[in-house]
Amino acid sequence: MILHEPVHPQFFKERRLRLTLLTVMIAAFIFGFADLISNRNFERLHIFLFNLCSGGFVVIYHTENTAQPSSRAYGFFVLSLLYALFAFLEMYLPAAIISVVLAFVVESIRIQKFPFVPVDLISTRTPIVDKFHHAAILCLSIALVIAAFVVVNNDALHWIANKNLTLNLFFLGYSFPLSLLSMSVMFSFVEESAAPLPRMLLNFFFWFITLGVVIFFVFILKSMAVAKFAIATALFVVVALMLVFFLRYGRPVQQKHFLLSGMFFLLFTGITGVLYIILAHFPGPYATWGRLLLNSHSYLALYGWSLSGMLVLIRWNDFPLRVNSLRVIGIHWIALGIMAPLGKTSLTAALITISLYLYFLSLFFQRDR
């Protein structure tokens, strides 16, 4: 096992590969607003195409760390697209079968770089970058297995009767691997310190975030409102501490601007999450503002925080970019922080949001002259 190896100099340099991935990411974003035209639960395609197909592919390609993705990585990409299609069409048995196959593919790639039994996660010698990276790909395979079980349980076996045990809940679990990978990317730009306090804080961040999110899912399953509020508040506080830590120890490079923007997206995700939990106890305001708040939370998390880390990773070997960082970040915030939630209820706002999103990506990926 090689710890903290440099990103391959040809990683994501293939232009057709970038265009293919960007096409799927754009399709995912557009499907997020497709229910305004036809109410067919396009939300599933929106989530799966971004989190599993795009995000999952980036996770395993980064784990392989080669010039070109392997045949297994491409196989994952194709099968994940089929999975998204079957889940959208509510063809649950083939979706469950593909989910298990995808889990085996992910595990076969994981054990090439990391131990089969993840003892490195508890080792003090393992760099925090590798801990978050290993947790990301491990959570991806676990999410695939759990999702397959949930589908089979609800559709055929009925072993566990729980109204919260739904695919709509667990497909959100696919966002966690990409979030963990973004944290790995962020901590790649943190200056190493021999002092004990920064090292202790890094390990505290890792364990609190990974275990905290898992515990939060358990509380959702158990419908424990007070416990959900407590853990959501605690996660918000820890994210705020991580932001301060990154401001203090992050290296002064261009990537830091985009990752700091992502951290502020994540911080606002924590705020909207806590507010949503509180609002759920007030039926009147919840009926008026609940959906808008939930949409804000979703877009801030997926296309704000997670996308920031993923884009920095995809263009890793191109930095420094010849772009106006503040301008690109500003458009990102207007598109995702303001327009996207409004676009869920207004076709005009949706079209403006999609246009801004495309403009943001075009600026970020514009070719250096």
Side-chain angles (χ1 to χ4, degrees):
M1 178 181 64
I2 302 174
L3 293 176
H4 202 24
E5 57 186 358
V7 175
H8 195 284
Q10 295 300 312
F11 180 75
F12 261 117
K13 294 292 283 186
E14 171 60 50
R15 194 161 184 266
R16 287 176 297 180
L17 179 60
R18 285 187 182 183
L19 286 174
T20 301
L21 187 68
L22 281 171
T23 299
V24 175
M25 289 166 56
I26 291 168
F29 193 77
I30 293 173
F31 277 124
F33 305 101
D35 284 336
L36 291 170
I37 299 173
S38 176
N39 188 17
R40 297 188 59 188
N41 198 11
F42 285 105
E43 188 74 11
R44 287 190 175 181
L45 277 178
H46 161 63
I47 296 294
F48 283 131
L49 289 177
F50 182 76
N51 283 336
L52 180 62
C53 303
S54 304
F57 175 77
V58 172
V59 169
I60 63 175
Y61 179 27
H62 180 46
T63 303
E64 290 183 329
N65 199 23
T66 52
Q68 292 288 332
S70 68
S71 57
R72 282 179 297 175
Y74 281 122
F76 174 93
F77 188 64
V78 173
L79 285 175
S80 65
L81 291 172
L82 286 174
Y83 177 90
L85 179 61
F86 285 138
F88 167 67
L89 296 174
E90 299 185 354
M91 300 172 64
Y92 293 128
L93 181 58
I97 293 172
I98 291 176
S99 187
V100 173
V101 174
L102 286 172
F104 277 107
V105 172
V106 172
E107 280 297 287
S108 71
I109 294 171
R110 180 183 73 88
I111 61 177
Q112 284 187 331
K113 179 170 182 177
F114 301 106
F116 176 72
V117 179
V119 292
D120 57 320
L121 296 182
I122 60 176
S123 172
T124 56
R125 295 185 297 109
T126 307
I128 202 68
V129 173
D130 291 296
K131 285 190 177 184
F132 273 113
H133 185 173
H134 191 179
I137 192 168
L138 181 63
C139 285
L140 178 59
S141 59
I142 292 173
L144 286 162
V145 172
I146 293 177
F149 170 77
V150 170
V151 166
V152 174
N153 176 77
N154 292 354
D155 206 43
L157 299 177
H158 306 293
W159 284 349
I160 301 176
N162 186 317
K163 65 179 182 179
N164 295 323
L165 192 67
T166 64
L167 185 61
N168 285 346
L169 170 63
F170 279 94
F171 70 46
L172 293 175
Y174 292 130
S175 66
F176 193 37
L178 186 53
S179 180
L180 290 172
L181 186 69
S182 295
M183 291 185 181
S184 176
V185 171
M186 181 183 73
F187 285 115
S188 298
F189 297 97
V190 169
E191 297 175 353
E192 293 186 11
S193 174
L197 181 59
R199 294 170 61 186
M200 289 174 58
L201 281 173
L202 286 172
N203 281 283
F204 168 74
F205 293 151
F206 170 75
W207 284 110
F208 200 97
I209 292 296
T210 51
L211 294 181
V213 173
V214 172
I215 293 170
F216 184 62
F217 266 90
V218 173
F219 289 162
I220 292 175
L221 285 174
K222 296 291 186 179
S223 298
M224 301 170 67
V226 176
K228 282 193 300 181
F229 172 79
I231 192 65
T233 304
L235 284 168
F236 166 74
V237 172
V238 171
V239 167
L241 291 174
M242 288 175 63
L243 174 59
V244 174
F245 186 93
F246 189 54
L247 279 167
R248 167 64 179 82
Y249 292 101
R251 297 202 304 272
V253 293
Q254 187 185 29
Q255 294 93 317
K256 184 178 181 180
H257 300 309
F258 296 104
L259 293 168
L260 273 176
S261 173
M263 280 300 295
F264 276 104
F265 274 118
L266 188 60
L267 191 67
F268 277 92
T269 297
I271 295 172
T272 54
V274 171
L275 289 177
Y276 183 78
I277 292 171
I278 295 173
L279 197 65
H281 296 282
F282 300 93
Y286 180 81
T288 304
W289 301 105
R291 189 63 185 173
L292 179 63
L293 196 59
L294 184 62
N295 289 331
S296 298
H297 178 82
S298 175
Y299 278 101
L300 289 169
L302 299 185
Y303 292 94
W305 158 242
S306 295
L307 181 64
S308 296
M310 186 161 67
L311 292 181
V312 168
L313 184 59
I314 291 172
R315 294 215 68 180
W316 184 280
N317 291 306
D318 299 330
F319 281 95
L321 308 179
R322 295 180 181 177
V323 300
N324 185 322
S325 301
L326 293 180
R327 180 188 178 196
V328 174
I329 289 169
I331 293 170
H332 191 190
W333 272 91
I334 294 171
L336 277 303
I338 300 174
M339 294 304 303
L342 299 176
K344 297 294 287 187
T345 56
S346 166
L347 183 58
T348 300
L351 293 174
I352 294 172
T353 304
I354 293 169
S355 300
L356 286 170
Y357 180 69
L358 293 173
Y359 184 48
F360 160 70
L361 290 177
S362 70
L363 289 177
F364 190 85
F365 283 94
Q366 70 181 19
R367 301 179 70 176
D368 294 335
R369 295 178 176 84

